[in-house]
Amino acid sequence: YTYLWSNSASTSAISNLGPGTYSVSVIDASCTISGVELVTNGDFSAGNTGFSSSYTYTPPPNTGEGQYWVAPGSQVSTWNGGMFSNGDHTTGTGNFMIVNGSGTPGSNVWCQTITVTPNTTYNFSTWVSSLNNSSPAMLQFSTNGTPLGPIFNAPATWGPWQQFFSVWNSGASTSVTLCVENMNTVLG
């Protein structure tokens, strides 16, 4: 099961909360339609292909904010000497998207247009890690330019990976442009 609480928690239970109303979406992964992955190159194993970004693709060295590179985690410090990595969230040796965030909220870090089935509920998720803890990322999903779900924050310390997800219903749509947007106004 995966969980998404109205306060953005993703654990099976939450505690130490004040009075109020809280809701949770619980998803049983065994009930998905064949566990079909609709995102192309979501693990970046094919490199810098299958997606778009408002950021500039910049092989080493990284020279400023609003730039990204797709490479194995072992090469992070080659791209930017102030960044550190424990590797990708699966094997530790795979590719991932390395980003030096801009200070422009709403800029698209990653986007992809995918085909969807009308009137179907979809679960969108991503894994995020901080490569430098001076200004952890603040990100949000969007569908066709409309914010989806709460803003999610990268871990405050460098190294650990954290999964975030939001649930979306396609309504009458047969395709959707799914984006991960920057919401942080602090550079880096």
Side-chain angles (χ1 to χ4, degrees), residues 8-35:
S8 300
S10 59
T11 56
S12 62
I14 54 177
S15 59
N16 299 325
L17 299 173
T21 302
Y22 300 91
S23 62
V24 63
S25 295
V26 180
I27 298 155
D28 182 346
S30 66
C31 295
T32 61
I33 302 171
S34 304

Side-chain angles (χ1 to χ4, degrees), residues 1-105:
Y1 296 102
T2 57
Y3 304 87
L4 179 61
W5 289 87
S6 54
N7 67 351
S8 300
S10 59
T11 56
S12 62
I14 54 177
S15 59
N16 299 325
L17 299 173
T21 302
Y22 300 91
S23 62
V24 63
S25 295
V26 180
I27 298 155
D28 182 346
S30 66
C31 295
T32 61
I33 302 171
S34 304
V36 175
E37 173 64 54
L38 299 179
V39 171
T40 302
N41 193 29
D43 63 0
F44 301 101
S45 60
N48 185 41
T49 63
F51 66 95
S52 64
S53 179
S54 297
Y55 287 31
T56 303
Y57 180 75
T58 308
N62 167 232
T63 57
E65 289 79 16
Q67 298 178 349
Y68 78 94
W69 188 42
V70 175
S74 61
Q75 296 183 20
V76 169
S77 61
T78 302
W79 188 66
N80 184 311
M83 293 182 176
F84 308 95
S85 172
N86 290 335
D88 74 319
H89 81 279
T90 56
T91 64
T93 60
N95 287 352
F96 62 90
M97 185 178 196
I98 305 162
V99 177
N100 189 344
S102 75
T104 307

Side-chain angles (χ1 to χ4, degrees), residues 38-186:
L38 299 179
V39 171
T40 302
N41 193 29
D43 63 0
F44 301 101
S45 60
N48 185 41
T49 63
F51 66 95
S52 64
S53 179
S54 297
Y55 287 31
T56 303
Y57 180 75
T58 308
N62 167 232
T63 57
E65 289 79 16
Q67 298 178 349
Y68 78 94
W69 188 42
V70 175
S74 61
Q75 296 183 20
V76 169
S77 61
T78 302
W79 188 66
N80 184 311
M83 293 182 176
F84 308 95
S85 172
N86 290 335
D88 74 319
H89 81 279
T90 56
T91 64
T93 60
N95 287 352
F96 62 90
M97 185 178 196
I98 305 162
V99 177
N100 189 344
S102 75
T104 307
S107 58
N108 294 324
V109 178
W110 176 97
C111 292
Q112 189 174 107
T113 300
I114 56 176
T115 301
V116 295
T117 303
N119 302 309
T120 303
T121 299
Y122 291 90
N123 302 311
F124 298 131
S125 71
T126 189
W127 288 86
V128 178
S129 178
S130 293
L131 304 179
N132 182 312
N133 61 359
S134 65
S135 177
M138 296 170 59
L139 304 167
Q140 186 172 32
F141 287 114
S142 71
T143 53
N144 299 325
T146 302
L148 174 67
I151 293 173
F152 52 93
N153 298 308
T157 58
W158 77 270
W161 287 90
Q162 188 169 352
Q163 185 179 31
F164 295 95
F165 73 95
S166 287
V167 178
W168 175 76
N169 188 283
S170 59
S173 299
T174 57
S175 71
V176 62
T177 299
L178 173 65
C179 294
V180 176
E181 296 182 355
N182 171 54
M183 301 309 289
N184 196 343
T185 59
V186 178

